[in-house]
Amino acid sequence: RASTSSTLRGLGEALRRAWPRVTVPGARTIKEIDTAKTPFSVMDVYGQNELEKLLQNRTMRPPFEVALLRLTLPVEGVWECQGGHVSILRDGEDLVYVDAHRWVSAKLLPPEDSARMQNFLLRGRLQRGGEVLLRFPTSSEVQVAFRLGPQEAFRTFTANRLPQEKDHLSNFSFVLIQCYHSFGDGFCFSPIASDLFRIYNALDHGDGDPEIHAFVYSNRDGVADAM
């Protein structure tokens, strides 16, 4: 809730600063907001296959929609693979990949390369310039791509483990923003264009400084109040 409140305040501040005529009504606490009228929906998925299928088949509610996609996985534990196993352990706030067979380990972070982010959930830097990439198609399977040196080609294998009732679950959140191109352009363009035309006409007729009134951002669904 605290993270959501901070995000909404940030969005409200961005709207206020976007154009001098935009003002946003005072904020209310999250507890006072009807959850059915929040500016985004929350959807839970339990594997990258399910996440990608949802993204491919999701129909947007026009003209603009924001959704929080929450991927929940039991990533921590021992994953069995052909010829041995690999482990994903927690060290404080960090997730650590350990391959005892190859004597390598790495702290896991999201991929920095946007192209790799489309396929892999986590990435780690191995010793001697190596690299490991992890993809979780389901909650019981991880696909591992690795190389032990920067000049080596990637090698791959699959590891599995059965989720347990007492598993610690890790959440990975993604924000999906969809809108019509015409809405994204027109919603911003209209007030700016009207101001420019008003200023031009005032100067053209020698009327001095034009009167620019505040444009109050409001929404019947309570988005502005949430901000």
Side-chain angles (χ1 to χ4, degrees), residues 87-123:
S87 302
I88 299 177
L89 310 174
R90 181 166 292 279
D91 181 15
E93 296 296 322
D94 298 324
L95 289 173
V96 179
Y97 171 86
V98 179
D99 185 340
H101 176 69
R102 299 178 177 85
W103 291 80
V104 293
S105 63
K107 183 172 74 171
L108 295 172
L109 297 168
E112 298 174 356
D113 186 340
S114 59
R116 287 179 177 172
M117 288 179 66
Q118 297 177 15
N119 299 302
F120 297 98
L121 183 66
L122 294 170
R123 171 183 182 270

PDB file of all heavy atoms in Angstrom, residues 87-123:
ATOM      1  N   SER A  87      21.246 -24.469  -7.393  1.00  0.00           N
ATOM      2  CA  SER A  87      20.474 -23.923  -6.273  1.00  0.00           C
ATOM      3  C   SER A  87      20.276 -22.422  -6.449  1.00  0.00           C
ATOM      4  O   SER A  87      21.125 -21.727  -7.019  1.00  0.00           O
ATOM      5  CB  SER A  87      21.193 -24.186  -4.941  1.00  0.00           C
ATOM      6  OG  SER A  87      21.407 -25.566  -4.742  1.00  0.00           O
ATOM      7  N   ILE A  88      19.157 -21.948  -5.949  1.00  0.00           N
ATOM      8  CA  ILE A  88      18.904 -20.510  -5.845  1.00  0.00           C
ATOM      9  C   ILE A  88      18.642 -20.228  -4.376  1.00  0.00           C
ATOM     10  O   ILE A  88      17.677 -20.740  -3.791  1.00  0.00           O
ATOM     11  CB  ILE A  88      17.725 -20.073  -6.723  1.00  0.00           C
ATOM     12  CG1 ILE A  88      18.017 -20.378  -8.190  1.00  0.00           C
ATOM     13  CG2 ILE A  88      17.449 -18.583  -6.543  1.00  0.00           C
ATOM     14  CD1 ILE A  88      16.874 -20.052  -9.128  1.00  0.00           C
ATOM     15  N   LEU A  89      19.512 -19.447  -3.764  1.00  0.00           N
ATOM     16  CA  LEU A  89      19.476 -19.197  -2.328  1.00  0.00           C
ATOM     17  C   LEU A  89      19.236 -17.723  -2.057  1.00  0.00           C
ATOM     18  O   LEU A  89      19.498 -16.869  -2.915  1.00  0.00           O
ATOM     19  CB  LEU A  89      20.798 -19.635  -1.692  1.00  0.00           C
ATOM     20  CG  LEU A  89      21.297 -21.039  -2.045  1.00  0.00           C
ATOM     21  CD1 LEU A  89      22.673 -21.275  -1.465  1.00  0.00           C
ATOM     22  CD2 LEU A  89      20.311 -22.101  -1.560  1.00  0.00           C
ATOM     23  N   ARG A  90      18.764 -17.433  -0.856  1.00  0.00           N
ATOM     24  CA  ARG A  90      18.575 -16.041  -0.450  1.00  0.00           C
ATOM     25  C   ARG A  90      19.682 -15.641   0.507  1.00  0.00           C
ATOM     26  O   ARG A  90      19.953 -16.331   1.490  1.00  0.00           O
ATOM     27  CB  ARG A  90      17.201 -15.830   0.199  1.00  0.00           C
ATOM     28  CG  ARG A  90      16.948 -14.372   0.607  1.00  0.00           C
ATOM     29  CD  ARG A  90      15.508 -14.138   0.926  1.00  0.00           C
ATOM     30  NE  ARG A  90      14.667 -14.241  -0.257  1.00  0.00           N
ATOM     31  CZ  ARG A  90      14.485 -13.275  -1.156  1.00  0.00           C
ATOM     32  NH1 ARG A  90      15.129 -12.110  -1.000  1.00  0.00           N
ATOM     33  NH2 ARG A  90      13.703 -13.459  -2.188  1.00  0.00           N
ATOM     34  N   ASP A  91      20.317 -14.506   0.192  1.00  0.00           N
ATOM     35  CA  ASP A  91      21.359 -13.933   1.044  1.00  0.00           C
ATOM     36  C   ASP A  91      20.919 -12.520   1.399  1.00  0.00           C
ATOM     37  O   ASP A  91      21.160 -11.573   0.660  1.00  0.00           O
ATOM     38  CB  ASP A  91      22.698 -13.926   0.306  1.00  0.00           C
ATOM     39  CG  ASP A  91      23.829 -13.359   1.152  1.00  0.00           C
ATOM     40  OD1 ASP A  91      23.640 -13.235   2.379  1.00  0.00           O
ATOM     41  OD2 ASP A  91      24.894 -13.029   0.594  1.00  0.00           O
ATOM     42  N   GLY A  92      20.252 -12.383   2.529  1.00  0.00           N
ATOM     43  CA  GLY A  92      19.676 -11.082   2.885  1.00  0.00           C
ATOM     44  C   GLY A  92      18.559 -10.722   1.923  1.00  0.00           C
ATOM     45  O   GLY A  92      17.584 -11.451   1.789  1.00  0.00           O
ATOM     46  N   GLU A  93      18.718  -9.606   1.205  1.00  0.00           N
ATOM     47  CA  GLU A  93      17.719  -9.174   0.230  1.00  0.00           C
ATOM     48  C   GLU A  93      17.997  -9.719  -1.166  1.00  0.00           C
ATOM     49  O   GLU A  93      17.196  -9.522  -2.085  1.00  0.00           O
ATOM     50  CB  GLU A  93      17.686  -7.634   0.167  1.00  0.00           C
ATOM     51  CG  GLU A  93      17.238  -6.968   1.457  1.00  0.00           C
ATOM     52  CD  GLU A  93      15.801  -7.311   1.803  1.00  0.00           C
ATOM     53  OE1 GLU A  93      14.969  -7.392   0.878  1.00  0.00           O
ATOM     54  OE2 GLU A  93      15.520  -7.519   2.998  1.00  0.00           O
ATOM     55  N   ASP A  94      19.118 -10.411  -1.339  1.00  0.00           N
ATOM     56  CA  ASP A  94      19.538 -10.853  -2.674  1.00  0.00           C
ATOM     57  C   ASP A  94      19.203 -12.319  -2.926  1.00  0.00           C
ATOM     58  O   ASP A  94      19.187 -13.143  -2.000  1.00  0.00           O
ATOM     59  CB  ASP A  94      21.049 -10.664  -2.838  1.00  0.00           C
ATOM     60  CG  ASP A  94      21.466  -9.213  -2.718  1.00  0.00           C
ATOM     61  OD1 ASP A  94      20.694  -8.340  -3.172  1.00  0.00           O
ATOM     62  OD2 ASP A  94      22.561  -8.954  -2.175  1.00  0.00           O
ATOM     63  N   LEU A  95      18.968 -12.631  -4.203  1.00  0.00           N
ATOM     64  CA  LEU A  95      18.880 -14.008  -4.659  1.00  0.00           C
ATOM     65  C   LEU A  95      20.221 -14.374  -5.285  1.00  0.00           C
ATOM     66  O   LEU A  95      20.782 -13.594  -6.065  1.00  0.00           O
ATOM     67  CB  LEU A  95      17.760 -14.176  -5.686  1.00  0.00           C
ATOM     68  CG  LEU A  95      16.322 -14.071  -5.162  1.00  0.00           C
ATOM     69  CD1 LEU A  95      15.332 -14.082  -6.318  1.00  0.00           C
ATOM     70  CD2 LEU A  95      16.022 -15.222  -4.197  1.00  0.00           C
ATOM     71  N   VAL A  96      20.726 -15.571  -4.962  1.00  0.00           N
ATOM     72  CA  VAL A  96      22.044 -15.998  -5.439  1.00  0.00           C
ATOM     73  C   VAL A  96      21.914 -17.338  -6.147  1.00  0.00           C
ATOM     74  O   VAL A  96      21.304 -18.285  -5.615  1.00  0.00           O
ATOM     75  CB  VAL A  96      23.052 -16.112  -4.276  1.00  0.00           C
ATOM     76  CG1 VAL A  96      24.415 -16.579  -4.796  1.00  0.00           C
ATOM     77  CG2 VAL A  96      23.182 -14.776  -3.559  1.00  0.00           C
ATOM     78  N   TYR A  97      22.472 -17.411  -7.354  1.00  0.00           N
ATOM     79  CA  TYR A  97      22.508 -18.652  -8.138  1.00  0.00           C
ATOM     80  C   TYR A  97      23.806 -19.395  -7.820  1.00  0.00           C
ATOM     81  O   TYR A  97      24.886 -18.796  -7.817  1.00  0.00           O
ATOM     82  CB  TYR A  97      22.444 -18.308  -9.626  1.00  0.00           C
ATOM     83  CG  TYR A  97      22.676 -19.475 -10.562  1.00  0.00           C
ATOM     84  CD1 TYR A  97      21.607 -20.296 -10.939  1.00  0.00           C
ATOM     85  CD2 TYR A  97      23.943 -19.735 -11.082  1.00  0.00           C
ATOM     86  CE1 TYR A  97      21.812 -21.363 -11.815  1.00  0.00           C
ATOM     87  CE2 TYR A  97      24.145 -20.798 -11.953  1.00  0.00           C
ATOM     88  CZ  TYR A  97      23.083 -21.604 -12.310  1.00  0.00           C
ATOM     89  OH  TYR A  97      23.287 -22.658 -13.176  1.00  0.00           O
ATOM     90  N   VAL A  98      23.706 -20.710  -7.540  1.00  0.00           N
ATOM     91  CA  VAL A  98      24.876 -21.521  -7.209  1.00  0.00           C
ATOM     92  C   VAL A  98      24.874 -22.784  -8.059  1.00  0.00           C
ATOM     93  O   VAL A  98      23.899 -23.548  -8.044  1.00  0.00           O
ATOM     94  CB  VAL A  98      24.899 -21.900  -5.711  1.00  0.00           C
ATOM     95  CG1 VAL A  98      26.122 -22.779  -5.407  1.00  0.00           C
ATOM     96  CG2 VAL A  98      24.897 -20.650  -4.830  1.00  0.00           C
ATOM     97  N   ASP A  99      25.954 -22.971  -8.801  1.00  0.00           N
ATOM     98  CA  ASP A  99      26.162 -24.204  -9.568  1.00  0.00           C
ATOM     99  C   ASP A  99      27.413 -24.863  -8.994  1.00  0.00           C
ATOM    100  O   ASP A  99      28.543 -24.553  -9.385  1.00  0.00           O
ATOM    101  CB  ASP A  99      26.334 -23.880 -11.045  1.00  0.00           C
ATOM    102  CG  ASP A  99      26.427 -25.135 -11.909  1.00  0.00           C
ATOM    103  OD1 ASP A  99      26.731 -26.222 -11.365  1.00  0.00           O
ATOM    104  OD2 ASP A  99      26.201 -25.040 -13.137  1.00  0.00           O
ATOM    105  N   ALA A 100      27.215 -25.784  -8.023  1.00  0.00           N
ATOM    106  CA  ALA A 100      28.350 -26.412  -7.334  1.00  0.00           C
ATOM    107  C   ALA A 100      29.155 -27.294  -8.278  1.00  0.00           C
ATOM    108  O   ALA A 100      30.365 -27.454  -8.096  1.00  0.00           O
ATOM    109  CB  ALA A 100      27.839 -27.220  -6.145  1.00  0.00           C
ATOM    110  N   HIS A 101      28.515 -27.876  -9.290  1.00  0.00           N
ATOM    111  CA  HIS A 101      29.216 -28.753 -10.224  1.00  0.00           C
ATOM    112  C   HIS A 101      30.274 -27.982 -11.009  1.00  0.00           C
ATOM    113  O   HIS A 101      31.367 -28.493 -11.274  1.00  0.00           O
ATOM    114  CB  HIS A 101      28.205 -29.408 -11.173  1.00  0.00           C
ATOM    115  CG  HIS A 101      28.820 -30.258 -12.230  1.00  0.00           C
ATOM    116  ND1 HIS A 101      29.446 -31.462 -11.949  1.00  0.00           N
ATOM    117  CD2 HIS A 101      28.922 -30.083 -13.587  1.00  0.00           C
ATOM    118  CE1 HIS A 101      29.900 -31.989 -13.069  1.00  0.00           C
ATOM    119  NE2 HIS A 101      29.597 -31.175 -14.076  1.00  0.00           N
ATOM    120  N   ARG A 102      29.964 -26.743 -11.368  1.00  0.00           N
ATOM    121  CA  ARG A 102      30.906 -25.921 -12.154  1.00  0.00           C
ATOM    122  C   ARG A 102      31.648 -24.911 -11.279  1.00  0.00           C
ATOM    123  O   ARG A 102      32.412 -24.103 -11.792  1.00  0.00           O
ATOM    124  CB  ARG A 102      30.153 -25.207 -13.292  1.00  0.00           C
ATOM    125  CG  ARG A 102      29.499 -26.183 -14.273  1.00  0.00           C
ATOM    126  CD  ARG A 102      28.726 -25.456 -15.368  1.00  0.00           C
ATOM    127  NE  ARG A 102      28.169 -26.391 -16.330  1.00  0.00           N
ATOM    128  CZ  ARG A 102      26.998 -27.029 -16.179  1.00  0.00           C
ATOM    129  NH1 ARG A 102      26.256 -26.794 -15.091  1.00  0.00           N
ATOM    130  NH2 ARG A 102      26.576 -27.876 -17.086  1.00  0.00           N
ATOM    131  N   TRP A 103      31.401 -24.910 -10.000  1.00  0.00           N
ATOM    132  CA  TRP A 103      32.080 -24.032  -9.060  1.00  0.00           C
ATOM    133  C   TRP A 103      31.878 -22.544  -9.400  1.00  0.00           C
ATOM    134  O   TRP A 103      32.809 -21.749  -9.419  1.00  0.00           O
ATOM    135  CB  TRP A 103      33.580 -24.354  -8.991  1.00  0.00           C
ATOM    136  CG  TRP A 103      33.886 -25.671  -8.343  1.00  0.00           C
ATOM    137  CD1 TRP A 103      33.814 -26.907  -8.918  1.00  0.00           C
ATOM    138  CD2 TRP A 103      34.247 -25.883  -6.984  1.00  0.00           C
ATOM    139  NE1 TRP A 103      34.129 -27.888  -8.018  1.00  0.00           N
ATOM    140  CE2 TRP A 103      34.421 -27.285  -6.800  1.00  0.00           C
ATOM    141  CE3 TRP A 103      34.475 -25.040  -5.893  1.00  0.00           C
ATOM    142  CZ2 TRP A 103      34.778 -27.849  -5.597  1.00  0.00           C
ATOM    143  CZ3 TRP A 103      34.850 -25.605  -4.687  1.00  0.00           C
ATOM    144  CH2 TRP A 103      34.994 -26.989  -4.551  1.00  0.00           C
ATOM    145  N   VAL A 104      30.635 -22.177  -9.697  1.00  0.00           N
ATOM    146  CA  VAL A 104      30.337 -20.779 -10.012  1.00  0.00           C
ATOM    147  C   VAL A 104      29.097 -20.342  -9.222  1.00  0.00           C
ATOM    148  O   VAL A 104      28.247 -21.168  -8.854  1.00  0.00           O
ATOM    149  CB  VAL A 104      30.092 -20.550 -11.523  1.00  0.00           C
ATOM    150  CG1 VAL A 104      31.380 -20.769 -12.313  1.00  0.00           C
ATOM    151  CG2 VAL A 104      28.981 -21.449 -12.058  1.00  0.00           C
ATOM    152  N   SER A 105      29.002 -19.055  -8.984  1.00  0.00           N
ATOM    153  CA  SER A 105      27.832 -18.478  -8.322  1.00  0.00           C
ATOM    154  C   SER A 105      27.657 -17.052  -8.810  1.00  0.00           C
ATOM    155  O   SER A 105      28.586 -16.445  -9.348  1.00  0.00           O
ATOM    156  CB  SER A 105      27.981 -18.512  -6.794  1.00  0.00           C
ATOM    157  OG  SER A 105      29.076 -17.711  -6.394  1.00  0.00           O
ATOM    158  N   ALA A 106      26.461 -16.486  -8.611  1.00  0.00           N
ATOM    159  CA  ALA A 106      26.195 -15.115  -9.070  1.00  0.00           C
ATOM    160  C   ALA A 106      24.986 -14.546  -8.350  1.00  0.00           C
ATOM    161  O   ALA A 106      24.009 -15.264  -8.085  1.00  0.00           O
ATOM    162  CB  ALA A 106      25.961 -15.086 -10.571  1.00  0.00           C
ATOM    163  N   LYS A 107      25.056 -13.251  -8.016  1.00  0.00           N
ATOM    164  CA  LYS A 107      23.875 -12.550  -7.515  1.00  0.00           C
ATOM    165  C   LYS A 107      22.937 -12.291  -8.684  1.00  0.00           C
ATOM    166  O   LYS A 107      23.369 -11.863  -9.760  1.00  0.00           O
ATOM    167  CB  LYS A 107      24.281 -11.231  -6.855  1.00  0.00           C
ATOM    168  CG  LYS A 107      23.095 -10.493  -6.241  1.00  0.00           C
ATOM    169  CD  LYS A 107      23.538  -9.290  -5.428  1.00  0.00           C
ATOM    170  CE  LYS A 107      23.984  -8.154  -6.321  1.00  0.00           C
ATOM    171  NZ  LYS A 107      24.215  -6.908  -5.538  1.00  0.00           N
ATOM    172  N   LEU A 108      21.658 -12.563  -8.486  1.00  0.00           N
ATOM    173  CA  LEU A 108      20.685 -12.468  -9.568  1.00  0.00           C
ATOM    174  C   LEU A 108      19.983 -11.112  -9.560  1.00  0.00           C
ATOM    175  O   LEU A 108      19.535 -10.629  -8.522  1.00  0.00           O
ATOM    176  CB  LEU A 108      19.651 -13.589  -9.444  1.00  0.00           C
ATOM    177  CG  LEU A 108      20.207 -15.004  -9.615  1.00  0.00           C
ATOM    178  CD1 LEU A 108      19.139 -16.043  -9.291  1.00  0.00           C
ATOM    179  CD2 LEU A 108      20.735 -15.212 -11.044  1.00  0.00           C
ATOM    180  N   LEU A 109      19.887 -10.511 -10.750  1.00  0.00           N
ATOM    181  CA  LEU A 109      19.219  -9.232 -10.956  1.00  0.00           C
ATOM    182  C   LEU A 109      18.413  -9.306 -12.254  1.00  0.00           C
ATOM    183  O   LEU A 109      18.637 -10.201 -13.080  1.00  0.00           O
ATOM    184  CB  LEU A 109      20.246  -8.094 -11.056  1.00  0.00           C
ATOM    185  CG  LEU A 109      21.105  -7.824  -9.820  1.00  0.00           C
ATOM    186  CD1 LEU A 109      22.253  -6.881 -10.174  1.00  0.00           C
ATOM    187  CD2 LEU A 109      20.254  -7.229  -8.701  1.00  0.00           C
ATOM    188  N   PRO A 110      17.486  -8.370 -12.485  1.00  0.00           N
ATOM    189  CA  PRO A 110      16.803  -8.336 -13.778  1.00  0.00           C
ATOM    190  C   PRO A 110      17.800  -8.062 -14.901  1.00  0.00           C
ATOM    191  O   PRO A 110      18.794  -7.354 -14.702  1.00  0.00           O
ATOM    192  CB  PRO A 110      15.812  -7.173 -13.632  1.00  0.00           C
ATOM    193  CG  PRO A 110      15.640  -7.007 -12.167  1.00  0.00           C
ATOM    194  CD  PRO A 110      16.956  -7.372 -11.538  1.00  0.00           C
ATOM    195  N   PRO A 111      17.573  -8.606 -16.108  1.00  0.00           N
ATOM    196  CA  PRO A 111      18.481  -8.338 -17.230  1.00  0.00           C
ATOM    197  C   PRO A 111      18.539  -6.850 -17.562  1.00  0.00           C
ATOM    198  O   PRO A 111      17.529  -6.143 -17.485  1.00  0.00           O
ATOM    199  CB  PRO A 111      17.855  -9.135 -18.391  1.00  0.00           C
ATOM    200  CG  PRO A 111      17.006 -10.167 -17.726  1.00  0.00           C
ATOM    201  CD  PRO A 111      16.504  -9.530 -16.471  1.00  0.00           C
ATOM    202  N   GLU A 112      19.727  -6.366 -17.930  1.00  0.00           N
ATOM    203  CA  GLU A 112      19.898  -4.966 -18.310  1.00  0.00           C
ATOM    204  C   GLU A 112      19.527  -4.741 -19.768  1.00  0.00           C
ATOM    205  O   GLU A 112      19.134  -3.639 -20.152  1.00  0.00           O
ATOM    206  CB  GLU A 112      21.355  -4.545 -18.074  1.00  0.00           C
ATOM    207  CG  GLU A 112      21.781  -4.641 -16.612  1.00  0.00           C
ATOM    208  CD  GLU A 112      23.254  -4.354 -16.426  1.00  0.00           C
ATOM    209  OE1 GLU A 112      23.947  -4.161 -17.443  1.00  0.00           O
ATOM    210  OE2 GLU A 112      23.720  -4.333 -15.271  1.00  0.00           O
ATOM    211  N   ASP A 113      19.667  -5.764 -20.586  1.00  0.00           N
ATOM    212  CA  ASP A 113      19.387  -5.672 -22.016  1.00  0.00           C
ATOM    213  C   ASP A 113      17.898  -5.902 -22.247  1.00  0.00           C
ATOM    214  O   ASP A 113      17.342  -6.929 -21.864  1.00  0.00           O
ATOM    215  CB  ASP A 113      20.216  -6.724 -22.769  1.00  0.00           C
ATOM    216  CG  ASP A 113      20.093  -6.585 -24.276  1.00  0.00           C
ATOM    217  OD1 ASP A 113      19.114  -5.966 -24.741  1.00  0.00           O
ATOM    218  OD2 ASP A 113      20.976  -7.096 -24.986  1.00  0.00           O
ATOM    219  N   SER A 114      17.210  -4.935 -22.872  1.00  0.00           N
ATOM    220  CA  SER A 114      15.765  -5.045 -23.085  1.00  0.00           C
ATOM    221  C   SER A 114      15.397  -6.247 -23.948  1.00  0.00           C
ATOM    222  O   SER A 114      14.331  -6.843 -23.779  1.00  0.00           O
ATOM    223  CB  SER A 114      15.220  -3.760 -23.730  1.00  0.00           C
ATOM    224  OG  SER A 114      15.856  -3.516 -24.968  1.00  0.00           O
ATOM    225  N   ALA A 115      16.276  -6.636 -24.896  1.00  0.00           N
ATOM    226  CA  ALA A 115      15.993  -7.796 -25.743  1.00  0.00           C
ATOM    227  C   ALA A 115      15.969  -9.071 -24.910  1.00  0.00           C
ATOM    228  O   ALA A 115      15.123  -9.949 -25.105  1.00  0.00           O
ATOM    229  CB  ALA A 115      17.036  -7.897 -26.853  1.00  0.00           C
ATOM    230  N   ARG A 116      16.884  -9.172 -23.939  1.00  0.00           N
ATOM    231  CA  ARG A 116      16.916 -10.357 -23.080  1.00  0.00           C
ATOM    232  C   ARG A 116      15.763 -10.358 -22.092  1.00  0.00           C
ATOM    233  O   ARG A 116      15.308 -11.412 -21.653  1.00  0.00           O
ATOM    234  CB  ARG A 116      18.245 -10.428 -22.332  1.00  0.00           C
ATOM    235  CG  ARG A 116      19.414 -10.823 -23.232  1.00  0.00           C
ATOM    236  CD  ARG A 116      20.711 -10.868 -22.470  1.00  0.00           C
ATOM    237  NE  ARG A 116      21.806 -11.307 -23.324  1.00  0.00           N
ATOM    238  CZ  ARG A 116      23.076 -11.308 -22.976  1.00  0.00           C
ATOM    239  NH1 ARG A 116      23.414 -10.876 -21.776  1.00  0.00           N
ATOM    240  NH2 ARG A 116      24.007 -11.734 -23.807  1.00  0.00           N
ATOM    241  N   MET A 117      15.281  -9.184 -21.713  1.00  0.00           N
ATOM    242  CA  MET A 117      14.165  -9.099 -20.784  1.00  0.00           C
ATOM    243  C   MET A 117      12.913  -9.749 -21.357  1.00  0.00           C
ATOM    244  O   MET A 117      12.023 -10.157 -20.611  1.00  0.00           O
ATOM    245  CB  MET A 117      13.878  -7.641 -20.435  1.00  0.00           C
ATOM    246  CG  MET A 117      14.927  -7.001 -19.534  1.00  0.00           C
ATOM    247  SD  MET A 117      14.553  -5.274 -19.170  1.00  0.00           S
ATOM    248  CE  MET A 117      13.058  -5.448 -18.211  1.00  0.00           C
ATOM    249  N   GLN A 118      12.817  -9.845 -22.690  1.00  0.00           N
ATOM    250  CA  GLN A 118      11.648 -10.457 -23.314  1.00  0.00           C
ATOM    251  C   GLN A 118      11.615 -11.964 -23.076  1.00  0.00           C
ATOM    252  O   GLN A 118      10.560 -12.589 -23.200  1.00  0.00           O
ATOM    253  CB  GLN A 118      11.635 -10.151 -24.808  1.00  0.00           C
ATOM    254  CG  GLN A 118      11.513  -8.676 -25.127  1.00  0.00           C
ATOM    255  CD  GLN A 118      11.564  -8.396 -26.618  1.00  0.00           C
ATOM    256  OE1 GLN A 118      11.408  -9.298 -27.426  1.00  0.00           O
ATOM    257  NE2 GLN A 118      11.785  -7.147 -26.986  1.00  0.00           N
ATOM    258  N   ASN A 119      12.760 -12.578 -22.764  1.00  0.00           N
ATOM    259  CA  ASN A 119      12.823 -14.027 -22.610  1.00  0.00           C
ATOM    260  C   ASN A 119      13.250 -14.489 -21.231  1.00  0.00           C
ATOM    261  O   ASN A 119      12.848 -15.557 -20.780  1.00  0.00           O
ATOM    262  CB  ASN A 119      13.797 -14.607 -23.647  1.00  0.00           C
ATOM    263  CG  ASN A 119      13.357 -14.337 -25.071  1.00  0.00           C
ATOM    264  OD1 ASN A 119      12.265 -14.725 -25.460  1.00  0.00           O
ATOM    265  ND2 ASN A 119      14.195 -13.671 -25.845  1.00  0.00           N
ATOM    266  N   PHE A 120      14.074 -13.699 -20.547  1.00  0.00           N
ATOM    267  CA  PHE A 120      14.645 -14.129 -19.280  1.00  0.00           C
ATOM    268  C   PHE A 120      14.196 -13.213 -18.142  1.00  0.00           C
ATOM    269  O   PHE A 120      14.084 -12.008 -18.318  1.00  0.00           O
ATOM    270  CB  PHE A 120      16.169 -14.159 -19.359  1.00  0.00           C
ATOM    271  CG  PHE A 120      16.696 -15.146 -20.373  1.00  0.00           C
ATOM    272  CD1 PHE A 120      17.083 -14.723 -21.641  1.00  0.00           C
ATOM    273  CD2 PHE A 120      16.785 -16.492 -20.060  1.00  0.00           C
ATOM    274  CE1 PHE A 120      17.554 -15.626 -22.580  1.00  0.00           C
ATOM    275  CE2 PHE A 120      17.255 -17.405 -20.985  1.00  0.00           C
ATOM    276  CZ  PHE A 120      17.637 -16.977 -22.257  1.00  0.00           C
ATOM    277  N   LEU A 121      14.001 -13.835 -16.979  1.00  0.00           N
ATOM    278  CA  LEU A 121      13.541 -13.076 -15.817  1.00  0.00           C
ATOM    279  C   LEU A 121      14.707 -12.563 -14.975  1.00  0.00           C
ATOM    280  O   LEU A 121      14.653 -11.451 -14.442  1.00  0.00           O
ATOM    281  CB  LEU A 121      12.634 -13.966 -14.960  1.00  0.00           C
ATOM    282  CG  LEU A 121      12.008 -13.323 -13.731  1.00  0.00           C
ATOM    283  CD1 LEU A 121      11.013 -12.234 -14.152  1.00  0.00           C
ATOM    284  CD2 LEU A 121      11.312 -14.377 -12.875  1.00  0.00           C
ATOM    285  N   LEU A 122      15.765 -13.371 -14.854  1.00  0.00           N
ATOM    286  CA  LEU A 122      16.891 -13.017 -13.993  1.00  0.00           C
ATOM    287  C   LEU A 122      18.223 -13.253 -14.705  1.00  0.00           C
ATOM    288  O   LEU A 122      18.325 -14.122 -15.586  1.00  0.00           O
ATOM    289  CB  LEU A 122      16.860 -13.852 -12.701  1.00  0.00           C
ATOM    290  CG  LEU A 122      15.674 -13.593 -11.759  1.00  0.00           C
ATOM    291  CD1 LEU A 122      15.631 -14.644 -10.660  1.00  0.00           C
ATOM    292  CD2 LEU A 122      15.727 -12.195 -11.173  1.00  0.00           C
ATOM    293  N   ARG A 123      19.216 -12.472 -14.289  1.00  0.00           N
ATOM    294  CA  ARG A 123      20.547 -12.552 -14.887  1.00  0.00           C
ATOM    295  C   ARG A 123      21.587 -12.408 -13.791  1.00  0.00           C
ATOM    296  O   ARG A 123      21.406 -11.662 -12.834  1.00  0.00           O
ATOM    297  CB  ARG A 123      20.728 -11.439 -15.926  1.00  0.00           C
ATOM    298  CG  ARG A 123      22.143 -11.280 -16.463  1.00  0.00           C
ATOM    299  CD  ARG A 123      22.209 -10.093 -17.419  1.00  0.00           C
ATOM    300  NE  ARG A 123      23.532  -9.924 -17.985  1.00  0.00           N
ATOM    301  CZ  ARG A 123      24.500  -9.190 -17.454  1.00  0.00           C
ATOM    302  NH1 ARG A 123      24.280  -8.551 -16.315  1.00  0.00           N
ATOM    303  NH2 ARG A 123      25.670  -9.078 -18.049  1.00  0.00           N
TER     304      ARG A 123
END
